[in-house]
Amino acid sequence: MQQKKIETINPATGKVIASYDNDDSEAVAKKIRLAREAFSSWKKLELGERADYMRRLGRVMRKNREEYARVITEEMGKPVRQSVAEIEKCAWVCDYYAEHAEAFLRDQIVPTEFRKSFVSFEPLGVIAAIMPWNFPFWQVMRFAVPALTAGNVGVLKHSSVCLGSSLKLQEAFSDAGFPENVFQTVIGDYRAGEALVQSDIDAVSVTGSVNTGKRVAELASKDLKKFVLELGGSDPFIVLEDADLKQTAYMATQSRLLNTGQSCISAKRFIVVKSIAEKFTKLFVEDTQAEVLGDPLDPKTTIGPLVRDSQRQALAKQVEDAKTKGGKVLVGGKPVNREGYFYEPTIISNVGHEMSVLREEVFGPAAPIIVVENEEQAIREANNSEFGLGASIWTNNIERGIKLARQIESGLVSVNEMVKSDPRLPFGGVKKSGIGRELSEFGIKEFVNIKSVIVKDIQSKLLVE
């Protein structure tokens, strides 16, 4: 692998923050050897000991919250208040698994005719992670905390956008007292990621685009390595005629514009019943106009820049495609004329399936509104996507919401709440949104050997002549 400097850039200014050497395949292989050596002792610790390390890691997160949040904001443009909340969530996942991992992983006794039968959950070994830039700490921690608590060791290849975050994460594990090489980072571009997947690892976790997931799955499958994929989303936000429209419009704004719309679980298709579409749209536009676009390090800012100019250009292309095909821009609709990679929060009505804002994942602050006649059409529209990550339904009839939630093709459905990942609940998708689950008891069991053990008494036979 050719050596090459990688630069990180502040998207609010377009200026270079730092440059890094790209790990070559030899450097990657060395880190994997060190990880495997660390695994031999880490896996032998009592689960309670590993839980204590996680508690310390949670304390490190809280202690350095402001420092870590600033790194996130400077590298990928997240408004700093949201960056602080991201670090707090990282501390929460540490506490959660420290408290619950023992119950999740204790032997399960199975009644049989044998003396004893049970299922044990044992670590797989070295787990690689290919992670994206949009939640630079959280998406790493939701992989690493359950995997390491279970007794695995981890090697992270983070996005080249947020290499400072990657190194801060490694530093956090060190500050929490973790043994050397239990958690390491690989610095590099896609070539370092491919070298990592093809190295002597046991499994890999990926959060990223569909194309990234396909490539990692292809490489991992050649050696029958397990993989978990959390990929793209085009989450429907269904507004029924009995919804609280003021609250729903506010939550629509938050769900679409959190992280400047750069989230796999942002609401991306707003499906609204015709009878209340006009009123909802008016409130949605008003709430969107009330958002504050500006310097992401200013606590008042709610809309920051897009991560790169290429991302802004991709969003502009999708919006222009909608406009040329009959879409009506109700607010926003163009790049902001200022330093950095800013784009106006945008709402588009009169959209159709020939438009890329419905056919593709929109990774930025643009919201298409689809008007439907009734709930049956809303469900058909919601499921008319190659993605199936999250969805939300807004109604004052809870039983109705639950009934419709069962009809949605996705890994997560919220009724009267925006879609969020939560350590207590499994997270992942169907269709092209991924394979496998993160978080909760289901997530910690993705990277363990589920081993059946049976024990039978030795019975001696009396031989009779």
Side-chain angles (χ1 to χ4, degrees):
M1 190 186 304
Q2 182 182 2
Q3 286 285 349
K4 179 184 176 183
K5 289 280 188 180
I6 303 175
E7 293 182 336
T8 53
I9 298 169
N10 186 330
T13 64
K15 295 177 181 176
V16 173
I17 301 170
S19 63
Y20 301 86
D21 289 327
N22 196 350
D23 283 341
D24 60 19
S25 55
E26 185 177 334
V28 171
K30 181 180 179 181
K31 290 181 179 181
I32 298 304
R33 288 195 298 271
L34 293 171
R36 196 157 293 286
E37 291 171 8
F39 174 62
S40 64
S41 54
W42 178 250
K43 68 178 180 180
K44 295 176 184 176
L45 294 180
E46 294 291 332
L47 204 155
E49 293 180 79
R50 295 196 295 268
D52 286 341
Y53 279 105
M54 291 304 161
R55 291 187 182 92
R56 289 199 289 271
L57 182 59
R59 291 196 289 271
V60 169
M61 286 287 153
R62 291 186 178 94
K63 176 183 176 182
N64 298 314
R65 183 183 66 175
E66 306 298 328
E67 176 191 354
Y68 296 162
R70 187 178 183 91
V71 172
I72 291 171
T73 295
E74 289 180 343
E75 286 194 318
M76 55 73 57
K78 189 192 305 285
V80 71
R81 285 191 302 173
Q82 296 175 23
S83 298
V84 168
E86 180 174 338
I87 301 303
E88 290 172 344
K89 196 169 184 178
C90 291
W92 178 23
V93 79
C94 293
D95 295 344
Y96 179 78
Y97 278 103
E99 181 178 351
H100 295 285
E102 193 164 359
F104 293 158
L105 297 177
R106 67 166 54 107
D107 291 347
Q108 291 186 8
I109 305 299
V110 180
T112 66
E113 73 274 20
F114 299 109
R115 170 70 175 271
K116 187 174 186 179
S117 304
F118 63 93
V119 179
S120 68
F121 305 96
E122 300 171 7
L124 290 181
V126 180
I127 315 299
I130 311 292
M131 291 291 146
W133 47 264
N134 54 338
F135 290 86
F137 274 66
W138 168 242
Q139 285 171 317
V140 173
M141 293 290 278
R142 77 184 191 199
F143 140 75
V145 172
L148 269 61
T149 305
N152 300 292
V153 297
V155 182
L156 166 68
K157 207 298 287 185
H158 220 324
S159 165
S160 55
V161 165
C162 53
L163 297 177
S165 295
S166 180
L167 293 174
K168 282 294 180 185
L169 280 158
Q170 182 169 293
E171 182 181 293
F173 278 86
S174 178
D175 289 350
F178 278 72
E180 194 172 10
N181 302 320
V182 166
F183 180 88
Q184 299 178 79
T185 62
V186 166
I187 300 296
D189 57 20
Y190 74 94
R191 294 169 298 175
E194 293 196 349
L196 178 59
V197 175
Q198 295 175 91
S199 68
D200 182 28
I201 62 169
D202 297 288
V204 58
S205 177
V206 179
T207 299
S209 69
V210 172
N211 287 337
T212 296
K214 287 180 177 179
R215 179 58 176 160
V216 171
E218 176 188 1
L219 294 174
S221 296
K222 290 179 180 179
D223 291 320
L224 298 180
K225 296 168 182 171
K226 178 164 186 183
F227 51 83
V228 169
L229 308 178
E230 194 272 281
L231 308 177
S234 186
D235 289 9
F237 185 105
I238 300 171
V239 186
L240 301 178
E241 69 279 359
D242 62 349
D244 180 333
L245 293 186
K246 185 174 182 181
Q247 173 69 7
T248 301
Y250 173 76
M251 294 305 294
T253 304
Q254 301 309 304
S255 186
R256 174 67 285 213
L257 299 181
L258 182 73
N259 204 21
T260 316
Q262 300 172 114
S263 170
C264 53
I265 52 173
S266 291
K268 298 191 176 79
R269 294 177 293 141
F270 294 81
I271 302 169
V272 187
V273 171
K274 185 176 181 179
S275 62
I276 46 87
E278 184 177 349
K279 184 175 180 181
F280 169 81
T281 300
K282 180 177 182 292
L283 292 168
F284 191 14
V285 168
E286 290 172 357
D287 284 337
T288 298
Q289 290 173 323
E291 294 293 302
V292 180
L293 184 149
D295 177 3
L297 285 172
D298 185 341
K300 298 186 185 70
T301 294
T302 59
I303 305 290
L306 293 172
V307 68
R308 288 289 181 268
D309 193 41
S310 57
Q311 189 75 32
R312 180 170 64 168
Q313 290 175 24
L315 178 63
K317 184 178 179 181
Q318 290 172 317
V319 173
E320 288 303 312
D321 173 74
K323 289 163 65 176
T324 60
K325 294 174 180 174
K328 182 180 178 183
V329 174
L330 304 179
V331 63
K334 60 183 185 296
V336 180
N337 184 21
R338 60 173 289 168
E339 183 181 55
Y341 312 133
F342 292 85
Y343 193 92
E344 294 176 341
T346 299
I347 297 175
I348 310 169
S349 65
N350 198 37
V351 296
H353 289 284
E354 72 280 5
M355 301 176 187
S356 58
V357 290
L358 292 187
R359 289 186 289 102
E360 303 170 354
E361 181 175 21
V362 178
F363 224 63
I369 296 178
I370 307 163
V371 178
V372 296
E373 293 293 334
N374 50 44
E375 67 177 41
E376 290 80 11
Q377 189 180 351
I379 295 299
R380 288 197 300 272
E381 190 67 46
N383 290 336
N384 185 17
S385 173
E386 64 181 12
F387 296 107
L389 189 54
S392 61
I393 299 169
W394 300 81
T395 173
N396 276 332
N397 186 328
I398 300 301
E399 292 306 314
R400 182 189 191 190
I402 294 171
K403 174 188 169 185
L404 296 178
R406 296 183 186 279
Q407 300 175 40
I408 298 288
E409 298 166 355
S410 69
L412 193 163
V413 183
S414 295
V415 178
N416 298 328
E417 175 62 286
M418 62 187 285
V419 176
K420 305 173 186 176
S421 58
D422 183 317
R424 299 166 295 185
L425 294 167
F427 181 80
V430 296
K431 304 183 191 179
K432 289 188 177 179
S433 286
I435 297 172
R437 292 293 181 266
E438 297 178 293
L439 301 175
S440 79
E441 179 176 358
F442 295 92
I444 199 171
K445 288 179 177 174
E446 285 284 4
F447 295 121
V448 296
N449 175 20
I450 302 175
K451 180 188 289 185
S452 298
V453 179
I454 61 172
V455 181
K456 184 177 181 179
D457 282 323
I458 299 175
Q459 295 179 348
S460 57
K461 280 189 174 182
L462 178 62
L463 296 180
V464 179
E465 293 184 0

